[in-house]
Amino acid sequence: MRTINTDLTFIDGMRNAGKLASEVLDFIEPFIKIGVSTEKIDSLCQEYMRDVQGTIPAPLNYQPPGYPPFPKAICTSVNDVICHGIPGERILKSGDIVNLDITVITPEGFYGDTSRMFLIGDVSILAKRLCQVTFECMWLGISKVRPGARLGDIGAAIQFHAEGSGYSVVREYCGHGIGKVFHQEPQILHYGKAGTGETLQEGMTFTIEPMINAGRRDIKTMPDRWTVKTKDRSLSAQWEHTILVTSSGYEVLTVSDRCPPPAHNILTSQISTF
Ligand code: MF3
Ligand code: CO
Ligand code: CO
C-alpha cells in the first residue's frame, strides 16, 4: 500500500511546481514560430528555468535503467514523433505540429510535469483535429478523477474518445505518479476498462498524458534510444497535466495565466464517453 501524502506543505509544494512548469510553456509560446530550431527552444527554456525561476529541468541527464542520459532540458516531439524527441538542429516549418514537454524540479524538490501541442503556420485539418481530439482525451480522463474512482475509468474514457474519432492510443508509455520523484507508481494507462484498476484516493498526485496517433498505435524507437515515433509515420499528438485528487474531485496543478482552458465542449456534450 502506497502512502498518500495529504500534508499541506506537500500539496503547496506540488502546486508551486505545477505552476512553474506551466509558466515555462507560457514563456516559450511566442518563440514557437516558423524557422526556429528545437535546440533554440530548448536553450531558451533552460535559461528561463535557471535564471528566472531557479528551477532545474528534470529531463537533463535523466537516466532511467537501460537508457542513455537524456541530453537536453525539455522534450520536443514533432509530427510523427510520439514522445521524448531530443531538441536539435531541426527547424520548425509551416504545417508542423510539435509537443513541448516540460518537467521542472523546484528548490524544495517537487516535480511539475506538463506538455502542450503547438501548431506551426498553416496546419492541415487532420493535424488540427488530432491535436484537438487529444486535448479532449486528456480532459475526459481528468474529468473522471475523484476519490473512489478507478484508474480504469480514466483509461476507458480516453480510449473511447480516441478510437471513436478514428485514432489509436499508444500503449507503451503512460502517465505516472509524481511528487518528490519524477516517475513513480501508479502507472496511468490511457486505455482500459471502466470499473477496474486501483481506486483513487484523496491526496494522490499523478499525470494524465495521452499520446494519440492518427494511424496505428505501433511505435518505433530511434537509434538515439530516446526518440519514439509512430511505426507507420502517421502524426501523433500529446497533452499532459499534473493532477491532485481532492476530496470532491480533482485539482489541475499545472496551471498558469496562459494555459489553455478546459475542453468544456467535450465535457458537457451529450455524447456518452463510456
Ligand atoms: N516529461 C516526460 C513525461 O511526461 C518524461 C520525459 S523523460 C526525458 O513523463 F528524459 F525524456 F526527458
Ligand atoms: Co509525465
Ligand atoms: Co512530461
Side-chain angles (χ1 to χ4, degrees):
M1 184 91 176
R2 192 168 26 255
T3 14
I4 309 284
N5 199 338
T6 47
D7 185 11
L8 253 189
T9 55
F10 177 83
I11 293 171
D12 281 337
M14 289 300 289
R15 281 193 184 114
N16 184 42
K19 181 162 190 280
L20 287 163
S22 190
E23 284 177 348
V24 177
L25 289 169
D26 291 0
F27 157 76
I28 201 64
E29 183 176 354
F31 298 98
I32 313 302
K33 289 200 265 220
I34 296 168
V36 71
S37 70
T38 53
E39 66 194 355
K40 179 70 184 171
I41 295 168
D42 176 80
S43 62
L44 287 167
C45 288
Q46 188 169 350
E47 278 167 33
Y48 184 79
M49 289 184 241
R50 188 189 55 220
D51 301 338
V52 178
Q53 295 188 324
T55 59
I56 292 169
L60 188 61
N61 297 317
Y62 182 57
Q63 187 173 18
Y67 285 81
F70 192 81
K72 296 286 183 180
I74 72 169
C75 297
T76 54
S77 301
V78 183
N79 295 342
D80 60 337
V81 178
I82 296 170
C83 62
H84 304 162
I86 301 175
E89 287 167 19
R90 184 175 188 150
I91 305 283
L92 296 180
K93 60 177 198 315
S94 184
D96 284 344
I97 59 170
V98 57
N99 175 277
L100 301 185
D101 193 340
I102 306 290
T103 312
V104 302
I105 315 172
T106 65
E108 296 76 28
F110 294 97
Y111 287 71
D113 188 5
T114 186
S115 79
R116 301 181 198 159
M117 295 303 297
F118 296 87
L119 311 184
I120 313 302
D122 288 323
V123 165
S124 70
I125 305 267
L126 175 117
K128 269 188 203 156
R129 179 170 176 269
L130 174 68
C131 295
Q132 174 63 24
V133 168
T134 304
F135 184 68
E136 292 166 358
C137 283
M138 174 183 69
W139 275 104
L140 284 168
I142 292 171
S143 72
K144 299 294 173 191
V145 175
R146 58 173 175 77
R150 311 284 290 271
L151 281 180
D153 301 350
I154 299 172
I158 292 170
Q159 184 179 9
F160 183 89
H161 189 47
E163 293 180 356
S165 304
Y167 300 147
S168 63
V169 179
V170 171
R171 308 278 176 118
E172 289 82 355
Y173 297 90
C174 57
H176 49 92
I178 186 168
K180 288 194 127 183
V181 174
F182 193 172
H183 293 113
Q184 58 190 62
E185 292 295 307
Q187 293 194 30
I188 313 295
L189 304 183
H190 302 115
Y191 60 93
K193 212 166 136 38
T196 68
E198 191 175 332
T199 301
L200 302 187
Q201 290 181 56
E202 183 181 355
M204 289 172 81
T205 46
F206 54 81
T207 72
I208 297 180
E209 49 179 300
M211 284 144 274
I212 306 297
N213 298 347
R216 300 178 60 87
R217 69 176 177 85
D218 309 71
I219 69 165
K220 189 173 60 179
T221 304
M222 295 297 106
D224 64 26
R225 291 166 60 199
W226 273 108
T227 307
V228 181
K229 289 190 180 181
T230 56
K231 194 174 171 197
D232 64 7
R233 307 299 305 271
S234 65
L235 292 176
S236 186
Q238 180 178 29
W239 290 81
E240 176 175 24
H241 270 311
T242 299
I243 308 294
L244 165 72
V245 184
T246 64
S247 59
S248 60
Y250 62 84
E251 178 179 326
V252 178
L253 299 175
T254 34
V255 287
S256 57
D257 291 348
R258 299 186 47 77
C259 149
H264 284 302
N265 62 320
I266 197 82
L267 299 179
T268 56
S269 86
Q270 297 306 302
I271 304 163
S272 167
T273 58
F274 47 86

